[in-house]
């Protein structure tokens, strides 16, 4: 074996983000030999907070990671929706009751903390973690595939593309483009002591202020040591086709008509970077022979349901379960290296199960954004309906959190 020709793996995962590491861990726990190829020089994540709903924390519990996730994160008391213009509460969800209903808690955690937990778990499970490797092509075959980079060729029974919403490997399966929502997100995660006035902040809730073509999300991180805020707005420049869109002056203009509690959050956001919000249309083509997609490479979605990372973990859990279902054992009783699995059957079921589920989440996220950002009569009707909602009514989230 040489650096240019490493040993055969069951699965070569391209991309070392949360989705890629989750898949690697789940497959390693299923007895598979897994290698992760990350193009950066070190494993790490940027960004701020993540909301992990019960459909994801049930999986983290099964993997033995939930206690550590809770330890590094926060268990919020409620999800609260408020009107961004007048600040009034519209509705809320009691997360203690939701945890009882769905059998797992709702946790908020810094993205880098969850990523670190997954890296450590992958190392402990024997996953081969390789950095500084940018995969530029996959040579696909009927019983194996090869991930090709400048310095090496990695052979696996399956190459799993976890290379994000701008996935290069997705283009090997489908010819599509990201869809701009014309919305942009500004984030800020700062030590709580840097917040000038915390008297009016809900430090044990996740709070959503929804307004005309804008919203603000606030919640604590790292056991309450950090306060996380995300401001999202529709960019007039994006709608006009101007290349330089989502700039700080547009941020200030978008929130000019909101209440003081919302406007006071803006100085604590990072103004030197912003995230333009794209998704893609759902597709049914996630696999071809021995190349398959997962996470954002398969189903990039808008953030309104806070399900991007959650759905990536669902992908991982589903695929690992199917590999176990369609796997065999050698005469020694030990799981073998890849050739004891009916990969065609596992990938067929994976695509069938996950494309239906994630397409619904993608479309629902778009609809949820429309609901948050409505104005005029539609805003008045939305507010009236939400204020009339019984907090114990779970009809609209059972399908998502209970699945």
């Amino acid at each position: 074996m040489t650096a240019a020709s490493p040993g055969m793996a069951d699965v070569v995962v391209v991309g070392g983000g949360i989705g890629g590491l989750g898949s690697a861990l789940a497959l390693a726990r299923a007895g598979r030999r897994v290698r992760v190829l990350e193009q950066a020089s070190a494993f790490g994540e940027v960004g701020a907070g993540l909301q992990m709903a019960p459909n994801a924390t049930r999986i983290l519990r099964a993997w033995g990671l939930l206690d550590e996730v809770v330890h590094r994160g926060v268990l919020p008391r409620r999800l609260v929706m408020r009107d961004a213009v007048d600040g009034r509460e519209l509705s809320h969800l009691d997360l203690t009751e939701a945890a009882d209903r769905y059998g797992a808690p709702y946790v908020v955690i810094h993205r880098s903390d969850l990523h670190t937990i997954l890296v450590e778990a992958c190392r402990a499970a024997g996953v081969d973690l390789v950095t500084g490797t940018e995969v530029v092509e996959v040579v696909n075959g009927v019983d194996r595939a090869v991930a090709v980079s400048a310095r090496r060729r990695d052979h696996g029974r399956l190459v799993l593309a976890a290379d994000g919403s701008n996935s290069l490997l997705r283009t090997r399966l489908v010819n599509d483009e990201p869809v701009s929502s014309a919305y942009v997100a500004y984030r800020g995660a700062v030590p709580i002591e840097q917040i000038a006035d915390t008297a009016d902040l809900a430090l044990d809730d996740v709070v959503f202020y929804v307004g005309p073509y804008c919203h603000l999300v606030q919640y604590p991180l790292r056991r309450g040591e950090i306060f996380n805020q995300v401001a999202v707005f529709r960019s007039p420049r994006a709608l006009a086709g101007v290349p330089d869109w989502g700039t700080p002056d547009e941020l200030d203009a978008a929130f000019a008509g909101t209440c003081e509690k919302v406007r006071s959050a803006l100085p604590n956001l990072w103004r030197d970077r912003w995230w333009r919000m794209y998704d893609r249309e759902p597709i049914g083509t996630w696999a071809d022979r021995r190349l398959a997609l997962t996470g954002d490479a398969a189903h990039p979605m808008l953030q309104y349901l806070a399900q991007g990372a959650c759905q990536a973990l669902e992908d991982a859990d589903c695929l690992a379960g199917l590999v176990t279902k369609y796997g065999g054992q050698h005469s020694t009783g030990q799981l073998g290296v890849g050739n004891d699995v009916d990969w065609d059957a596992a990938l067929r079921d994976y695509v069938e199960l996950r494309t239906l589920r994630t397409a619904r989440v993608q479309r629902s996220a778009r609809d949820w954004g429309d609901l948050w950002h409505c104005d005029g009569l539609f805003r008045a009707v939305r507010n009236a309906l939400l204020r009339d909602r019984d907090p114990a009514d779970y009809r609209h989230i059972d399908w998502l959190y209970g699945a």
Side-chain angles (χ1 to χ4, degrees), residues 93 389-397:
L93 178 69
R389 172 187 169 269
D390 181 350
D393 181 359
Y394 295 91
R395 285 176 298 167
H396 299 296
I397 56 174

Side-chain angles (χ1 to χ4, degrees), residues 2 19 27 32 34 44 73 107 109 114 138 156 160 194 211 283 361 393:
T2 69
L27 290 161
R32 301 295 113 193
V34 185
V107 184
I109 185 170
L114 178 60
V138 169
L160 188 60
Q194 291 185 15
I283 58 171
V361 180
D393 181 359

Side-chain angles (χ1 to χ4, degrees), residues 124-243:
V127 175
D128 183 14
L129 299 173
V130 182
T131 56
T133 302
E134 181 180 4
V135 174
V136 296
E137 185 57 90
V138 169
V139 179
N140 202 357
V142 295
D143 65 349
R144 68 186 62 196
V146 185
V148 180
S149 60
R151 297 183 297 107
R152 50 191 289 153
R153 296 167 65 89
D154 288 87
H155 298 250
R157 298 294 176 183
L158 172 68
V159 170
L160 188 60
D163 52 341
S165 58
N166 293 314
S167 169
L168 169 67
L169 299 187
R170 180 185 173 106
T171 65
R172 304 305 184 260
L173 302 180
V174 62
N175 181 25
D176 68 349
E177 295 291 337
V179 178
S180 173
S181 69
Y183 278 80
V184 62
Y186 278 69
R187 297 184 170 96
V190 300
I192 193 69
E193 60 267 19
Q194 291 185 15
I195 306 293
D197 184 5
T198 61
D200 292 331
L201 296 180
L203 297 178
D204 53 1
D205 292 334
V206 176
V207 181
F208 306 84
Y209 288 92
V210 295
Y213 311 112
C214 67
H215 75 266
L216 174 74
V217 184
Q218 298 176 316
Y219 52 87
L221 294 171
R222 289 186 181 157
R223 301 169 296 277
E225 299 167 7
I226 291 177
F227 196 61
N228 182 69
Q229 302 186 99
V230 185
V232 173
F233 64 92
R234 189 175 70 177
S235 164
R237 288 181 187 147
L239 295 175
V242 177

